[in-house]
């Protein structure tokens, strides 16, 4: 994986698939993204998942995008464990701590 192993996941419900079979949609999305270069901002793993969800019309929607995926993951996602939580938030907290030290000490 380009950015490391997943640290958080959103468990989907197969019964909310409307249009095509789950496996078929995932396979088609993977074929579409097989030769694409993933990048951090525009065409990333969230876009790949959104493409699959649009194919299967998950939850009756066909307008999934990377922002929707990120918001749903933030609101409904679960960490893979305590290590996943640390890998997600520790770098951010360290940066904030360094900034606060510079603000209040220097």
């Amino acid at each position: 994986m380009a950015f490391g192993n997943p640290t958080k996941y959103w468990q989907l419900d197969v019964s909310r698939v409307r249009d095509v079979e789950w496996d078929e949609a995932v396979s088609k999305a993977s074929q579409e993204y097989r030769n694409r270069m993933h990048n951090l901002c525009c065409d990333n793993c969230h876009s790949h998942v959104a493409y699959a969800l649009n194919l299967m019309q998950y939850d009756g929607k066909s307008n999934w995008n990377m922002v929707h995926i990120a918001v749903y993951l933030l609101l409904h996602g679960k960490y893979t464990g305590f290590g996943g939580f640390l890998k997600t938030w520790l770098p951010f907290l360290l940066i904030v701590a360094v900034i606060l030290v510079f603000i209040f000490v220097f």
Side-chain angles (χ1 to χ4, degrees), residues 29-82:
S30 293
Q31 287 173 357
E32 175 69 28
Y33 274 80
R34 178 169 286 136
N35 296 320
R36 287 192 189 185
M37 177 62 72
H38 284 58
N39 62 58
L40 188 59
C41 297
C42 299
D43 201 9
N44 55 34
C45 56
H46 294 109
S47 304
H48 186 166
V49 171
Y51 190 87
L53 293 179
N54 285 331
L55 289 174
M56 64 179 78
Q57 293 186 356
Y58 185 79
D59 213 16
K61 299 177 189 176
S62 60
N63 62 341
W64 291 96
N65 60 42
M66 64 184 226
V67 175
H68 290 139
I69 301 299
V71 169
Y72 273 74
L73 188 60
L74 182 66
L75 298 176
H76 304 290
K78 294 184 170 125
Y79 292 98
T80 57
F82 185 69

Side-chain angles (χ1 to χ4, degrees), residues 80-91:
T80 57
F82 185 69
F85 175 82
L86 285 178
K87 287 178 185 176
T88 300
W89 292 107
L90 189 60

Side-chain angles (χ1 to χ4, degrees), residues 12-23:
L12 299 175
D13 182 2
V14 180
S15 68
R16 293 183 176 187
V17 174
R18 299 274 191 263
D19 192 26
V20 297
E21 290 292 322
W22 178 281
D23 291 337

